[in-house]
C-alpha cells in the first residue's frame, strides 16, 4: 500500500520555558484526512506541543513540517493563511464583541470571502445564528466553545488543531463538541486533537499518542491503545471528573 505523505510531521521537538523542559524529543505525524489525538495528564506537555506547531511558541529544537514545508520558525499569523488553524485552549472569544464580529475575526486574512463561510457556520450552528448580534460574553460555556470552533472553521483550515475542546463542559455539551469534531473530520478536514479526556479522544481518533511528562510513551491506532490493558491502567485509568 502506498501511504500518503503526512500533512504534519513533527521530529524531535523540544520545548522549554527557561530551564524547564516541557516537551522532550517528541516525534509524531498526522496523515491527511485523519483525526489524530495526543492524550496525557495535566502538565504532560500537550499545549506546549500544539502551540509550537501553530507557531505561538518557538521550539528549542526539532523540526515541524506542514504540507511539505518547513514551518519550524514560521509565526502563527502566517500559518493561518496556509491552512493551519488552532482552536485555543480555554475558549478565547472576545466577550464584548458580537457573535458575528467574533466569526469575522476568524477570516480576517481572507477578506470578503468570509461572508459565505460565516453563513455556512450559521447553518451548522443555528444557536450562533440566533445570537449573532449579541455580545459573545452572553453565551453559555457550551455556546462559547461552539463559537470558538466555528471561528476557527471560518479560516478554512486544512489542519485544525484543537486544545482540550471539552474542558470544563457538562457531559451533554461534551457529546455535542465531539459530534462537531466527527463532522469536521467527515467533511475532510484533518484534525489534531489534544485532550486530558483520553478515552473520549481515543474513541474519536484514528491514531493516538500518549504523552507523559513531556515524552511520548505509547502510540498506535486508537482502537489498539484503548484495548491495551497496560496502557489503560497506566495512563487512562481514571475517567476525568465532570467539572460542572
Ligand atoms: N509559560 C510557562 N512557563 C513555565 N512553565 C510552563 C509554562 N507553560 C507550561 N509550563 C510547564 O510546562 C509543562 C507542560 O505544560 P503544558 O501546558 O504544555 O501541559 P498540558 O499537557 O497542556 O497540561 P493541561 O492538561 O493542564 O493543559 C508543565 O510542567 C507546565 O508547568
Ligand atoms: Mg494544556
Amino acid at each position: 500500500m502506498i501511504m500518503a505523505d503526512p500533512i504534519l510531521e513533527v521530529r524531535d521537538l523540544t520545548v522549554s520555558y527557561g530551564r524547564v523542559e516541557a516537551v522532550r524529543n517528541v516525534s509524531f505525524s498526522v496523515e491527511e484526512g485523519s483525526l489524530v489525538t495526543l492524550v496525557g495528564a495535566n502538565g504532560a506537555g500537550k499545549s506546549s506541543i500544539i502551540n509550537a506547531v501553530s507557531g505561538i511558541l518557538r521550539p528549542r529544537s526539532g523540526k515541524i513540517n506542514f504540507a511539505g514545508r518547513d514551518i519550524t520558525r514560521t509565526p502563527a499569523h502566517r500559518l493561518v493563511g496556509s491552512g493551519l488553524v488552532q482552536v485555543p485552549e480555554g475558549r478565547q472569544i472576545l466577550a464584548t464583541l458580537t457573535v458575528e464580529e467574533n466569526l469575522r475575526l476568524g477570516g480576517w486574512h481572507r477578506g470578503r470571502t468570509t461572508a459565505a463561510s460565516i453563513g455556512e457556520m450559521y447553518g451548522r450552528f443555528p444557536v450562533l445564528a440566533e445570537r449573532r448580534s449579541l455580545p459573545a460574553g452572553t453565551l453559555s460555556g457550551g455556546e462559547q466553545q461552539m463559537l470558538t470552533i466555528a471561528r476557527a472553521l471560518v479560516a478554512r483550515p486544512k489542519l485544525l488543531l484543537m486544545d482540550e475542546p471539552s474542558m470544563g463542559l457538562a457531559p451533554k455539551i461534551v457529546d455535542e463538541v465531539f459530534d462537531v469534531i466527527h463532522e469536521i473530520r467527515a467533511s475532510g478536514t484533518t484534525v489534531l486533537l489534544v485532550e486530558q479526556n483520553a478515552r473520549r479522544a481515543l474513541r474519536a481518533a484514528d491514531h493516538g499518542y500518549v504523552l507523559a511528562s513531556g515524552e511520548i510513551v505509547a502510540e498506535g491506532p486508537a482502537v489498539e491503545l484503548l484495548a491495551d490493558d497496560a496502557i489503560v491502567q497506566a495512563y487512562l485509568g481514571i475517567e476525568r471528573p465532570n467539572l460542572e
Side-chain angles (χ1 to χ4, degrees):
M1 193 173 76
I2 299 168
M3 297 290 283
D5 279 342
I7 189 166
L8 178 72
E9 189 151 30
V10 173
R11 285 288 151 246
D12 297 324
L13 179 72
T14 295
V15 178
S16 13
Y17 302 95
R19 263 181 285 168
V20 181
E21 262 192 2
V23 174
R24 265 184 313 280
N25 292 320
V26 161
S27 298
F28 64 96
S29 56
V30 178
E31 298 293 327
E32 189 154 12
S34 69
L35 198 170
V36 171
T37 188
L38 299 177
V39 297
N42 181 1
K46 305 181 298 296
S47 296
S48 301
I49 292 174
I50 252 192
N51 291 338
V53 170
S54 69
I56 293 170
L57 268 180
R58 228 169 200 247
R60 167 153 294 180
S61 58
K63 239 187 176 21
I64 305 170
N65 269 282
F66 170 64
R69 280 175 44 214
D70 182 348
I71 59 154
T72 314
R73 307 231 175 295
T74 310
H77 66 273
R78 287 187 37 218
L79 290 173
V80 173
S82 64
L84 201 160
V85 182
Q86 179 169 11
V87 180
E89 186 176 354
R91 302 189 269 288
Q92 295 173 20
I93 53 137
L94 295 163
T96 58
L97 298 188
T98 66
V99 167
E100 179 136 339
E101 286 163 341
N102 271 274
L103 288 175
R104 272 196 226 123
L105 285 176
W108 57 270
H109 64 286
R110 290 178 43 224
R112 281 187 296 177
T113 52
T114 316
S117 357
I118 292 179
E120 234 173 79
M121 289 309 127
Y122 286 152
R124 199 148 167 182
F125 304 97
V127 69
L128 299 183
E130 279 164 33
R131 316 218 158 156
R132 64 210 287 170
S133 309
L134 295 179
T138 63
L139 302 183
S140 70
E143 290 162 355
Q144 290 185 15
Q145 183 58 281
M146 296 304 173
L147 175 57
T148 320
I149 296 172
R151 186 179 57 189
L153 292 175
V154 167
R156 297 222 190 261
K158 291 196 188 90
L159 172 62
L160 186 67
L161 308 173
M162 306 184 92
D163 193 350
E164 306 224 33
S166 76
M167 184 156 70
L169 298 174
K172 185 174 147 274
I173 313 294
V174 172
D175 289 345
E176 286 175 22
V177 168
F178 274 92
D179 286 346
V180 168
I181 294 171
H182 277 291
E183 279 172 37
I184 293 169
R185 189 260 156 115
S187 72
T189 304
T190 311
V191 180
L192 176 60
L193 168 68
V194 150
E195 267 289 349
Q196 264 187 56
N197 195 341
R199 286 168 197 270
R200 194 65 201 254
L202 286 168
R203 280 187 215 121
D206 300 297
H207 202 87
Y209 294 84
V210 181
L211 199 67
S213 306
E215 293 182 88
I216 288 174
V217 291
E219 69 157 298
V223 280
E224 288 179 19
L225 293 175
L226 282 167
D228 186 322
D229 282 343
I231 287 171
V232 170
Q233 279 183 15
Y235 304 106
L236 322 178
I238 305 161
E239 293 262 16
R240 208 173 104 218
N242 168 23
L243 300 175
E244 262 185 25

